[in-house]
Amino acid sequence: MEGFAEKLAHKLHHYSVLPWDDDQGTIAALDPLVLTNYTFFLIIAFVVTLVFFLVAAQKVDLVPQGIGNVVEAGYEFIRNLCVDNMGREGLKFAPFIGTLFFFILFNNAIGLIPGSLPGTGSIGVTATWAVMVFIVYNAIGFKKNGFIGYLKSFIPSGVREMPAFGRFTLGPFIFLLEVVGHFLRPLTLAVRLYANMFAGGIILGIFGIFMILGAQQLGALGITMTGFGLIMLVIMYAFKVFVAFIQAYVFAILTSVYIGGALHASEH
Amino acid sequence: MLVGVAYAAEEGESAISVVPVLADVWPSIVAFVILFLLLKKFAFGPISNVLEKRADSIKESLEKAEETRVEAERLLDEYKEQMAAARLEAGKIVDQSRKAAESMKEEIVAKANDEAAQVIEKAREAIEAEKQAAMVELQSSVADLSVAVAGKLLGEKLSPADHAALIDKYLSEVGGMNDN
């Protein structure tokens, strides 16, 4: 299976963060100003998202028409998501959640095109956004509840109402747990999106390689391998389309849940 | 897969980078912030406005429709009342007319009957008078004739032929009188 390993290694190499203009990928330590293979597709997704919304927004009118309907339904979906998770005051965060959702969705969708990569398939990209979400929701929490008020909300009201002994033994422990939990949020956000998009490409690559290797074999084994590879490729591709949407949705809904939690921190 | 990673690692780099690379970090934050600002100003803002405006206009339309419906119902009730009143009035008028026509008819028929009775009565009276006059005349004629006949019988001897001629004459005279 030397051939398989070599091809897989090449495939994996293709999914590494590499300078865009260096196909061989000989530069390991990247210059921060170089255009990488992921940022190249990130910028394409940026342009596509921007153009799509700027064009579609022109078509949105009191009487909706054409593509205006699509973008309107999309934004209405985001508004509903915001209201569901944050209440009426969440509507003012709809542009933020909407940008996150649609930018991630367009990145994921562009990654579906054979030969391209999803901008979200790089941990550098997803971690940046996850940290941004972390900063945004905590800033909202501090602003809304006051510095002490927000920190106090890390200890559940049940513990705060305990007798002094329970409050001072259990309180710091739960506070610590809660802080750790908050810091885990950006980590899970980043890794979930990155791993899903990255693995989607790898899985397609594996079945693709499987097909090619099968085609190089003669006889029943070759036919079986190629057929299996093809079927799995189609199934996995369909799954990848599904995942592209779901992961954008998960990122957006978790962000809105975090902001909602920060907004209503003093209530629980 | 391990083989693959090892293979790539031999070339002096990791196959899967799990450490964020700075070259990926700043473009993603810059792209996001620019996209957020532009979309908020030129896409999400206007779309929100349209959605809210539409919600308002639908609400307004519904309210107006409700108002119109209430007004229409009120008018319908009013018209129904008026209709009922008009129908009652019409019934009364028809009734009155019928009664008037009935009484008029009776009056006319009674009058006609009266007139007819009067005409018949007059006619009968006229006939009676004529008859009386005729009788009186006839009686006087018969008396005259009898006197003449007696005179003649006394004045001349009558042959059987004269007798017959006399009778004829008498008869014709009587007949001529009757013709009058």
Side-chain angles (χ1 to χ4, degrees):
Chain A
M1 291 295 275
E2 188 55 33
F4 183 73
E6 263 175 42
K7 285 193 167 67
L8 186 58
H10 181 73
K11 186 79 199 164
L12 287 174
H13 186 69
H14 175 65
Y15 278 92
S16 303
V17 179
L18 300 167
W20 170 248
D21 57 358
D22 186 355
D23 281 343
Q24 301 307 309
T26 48
I27 304 166
L30 284 162
D31 181 344
L33 290 179
V34 84
L35 183 70
T36 71
N37 48 356
Y38 282 97
T39 47
F40 174 78
F41 287 106
L42 182 88
I43 289 164
I44 290 179
F46 167 80
V47 172
V48 171
T49 314
L50 190 60
V51 169
F52 175 79
F53 274 98
L54 291 190
V55 169
Q58 306 297 313
K59 302 271 185 195
V60 173
D61 200 0
L62 219 53
V63 179
Q65 49 170 337
I67 199 168
N69 275 315
V70 178
V71 69
E72 204 188 286
Y75 195 56
E76 184 80 57
F77 169 72
I78 295 299
R79 279 165 62 99
N80 289 339
L81 190 147
C82 288
V83 172
D84 288 348
N85 293 307
M86 308 183 233
R88 289 297 296 175
E89 61 182 326
L91 271 184
K92 64 172 181 263
F93 302 110
F96 178 70
I97 304 291
T99 309
L100 263 180
F101 176 75
F102 289 111
F103 197 18
I104 293 174
L105 184 66
F106 275 79
N107 266 300
N108 294 355
I110 281 171
L112 292 171
I113 300 165
S116 66
L117 292 169
T120 43
S122 160
I123 184 83
V125 175
T126 60
T128 306
W129 293 343
V131 169
M132 177 185 71
V133 166
F134 178 78
I135 292 169
V136 165
Y137 90 74
N138 280 308
I140 290 168
F142 281 123
K143 196 180 165 198
K144 174 94 184 176
N145 306 286
F147 189 77
I148 301 294
Y150 187 54
L151 286 181
K152 218 198 254 176
S153 76
F154 284 20
I155 306 169
S157 56
V159 176
R160 272 183 271 148
E161 285 153 16
M162 274 181 168
F165 178 72
R167 201 166 38 190
F168 291 115
T169 50
L170 210 53
F173 178 64
I174 288 182
F175 181 81
L176 197 68
L177 271 186
E178 198 65 20
V179 168
V180 171
H182 276 277
F183 277 101
L184 279 176
R185 284 175 173 183
L187 189 69
T188 54
L189 269 184
V191 172
R192 185 186 301 108
L193 179 57
Y194 151 71
N196 269 286
M197 299 324 294
F198 183 83
I202 298 296
I203 287 170
L204 287 190
I206 288 172
F207 288 112
I209 295 165
F210 218 73
M211 265 184 75
I212 294 165
L213 289 178
Q216 288 166 353
Q217 306 274 330
L218 288 175
L221 178 69
I223 293 169
T224 311
M225 276 176 76
T226 310
F228 175 73
L230 180 65
I231 291 166
M232 288 310 288
L233 202 58
V234 171
I235 293 171
M236 284 300 152
Y237 198 87
F239 190 62
K240 207 184 156 192
V241 173
F242 175 67
V243 166
F245 175 81
I246 283 295
Q247 287 307 320
Y249 179 62
V250 166
F251 202 101
I253 203 169
L254 283 177
T255 302
S256 70
V257 166
Y258 295 159
I259 294 177
L263 280 175
H264 306 116
S266 54
E267 290 162 23
H268 44 78
Chain B
M1 200 142 151
L2 278 173
V3 183
V5 175
Y7 174 83
E10 272 168 21
E11 286 185 356
E13 58 192 271
S14 64
I16 308 168
S17 172
V18 287
V19 179
V21 176
L22 201 57
D24 275 350
V25 169
W26 69 262
S28 50
I29 187 74
V30 169
F32 184 87
V33 170
I34 294 173
L35 194 64
F36 171 68
L37 293 176
L38 290 178
L39 289 189
K40 189 180 178 185
K41 181 148 180 58
F42 297 110
F44 296 151
I47 295 170
S48 270
N49 286 342
V50 166
L51 288 176
E52 264 149 35
K53 217 183 283 168
R54 184 182 306 150
D56 284 350
S57 86
I58 289 173
K59 206 171 140 200
E60 217 168 82
S61 304
L62 284 178
E63 274 165 10
K64 210 170 272 174
E66 179 62 22
E67 264 172 36
T68 313
R69 195 183 63 79
V70 168
E71 175 68 14
E73 246 162 44
R74 197 185 60 75
L75 281 178
L76 184 66
D77 282 350
E78 205 179 296
Y79 288 151
K80 267 184 189 161
E81 260 170 41
Q82 284 179 1
M83 196 77 155
R87 195 167 286 146
L88 211 66
E89 187 75 6
K92 261 187 212 159
I93 289 170
V94 168
D95 251 14
Q96 276 175 359
S97 313
R98 188 173 291 139
K99 270 181 201 153
E102 203 75 37
S103 66
M104 208 178 271
K105 179 183 147 196
E106 273 166 20
E107 218 170 85
I108 290 167
V109 168
K111 207 170 158 191
N113 279 344
D114 266 7
E115 273 174 12
Q118 274 175 15
V119 168
I120 290 170
E121 195 53 38
K122 265 183 196 158
R124 189 171 290 145
E125 275 168 15
I127 289 166
E128 200 59 39
E130 287 288 323
K131 196 175 152 190
Q132 285 299 328
M135 285 291 272
V136 168
E137 206 177 313
L138 191 62
Q139 274 173 357
S140 69
S141 301
V142 167
D144 287 351
L145 208 59
S146 305
V147 170
V149 168
K152 279 182 179 167
L153 280 176
L154 295 175
E156 55 194 88
K157 201 178 174 182
L158 292 176
S159 64
D162 288 340
H163 211 135
L166 200 66
I167 288 168
D168 278 345
K169 188 187 168 192
Y170 172 73
L171 282 179
S172 69
E173 269 178 15
V174 172
M177 197 180 67
N178 262 357
D179 283 346
N180 292 333

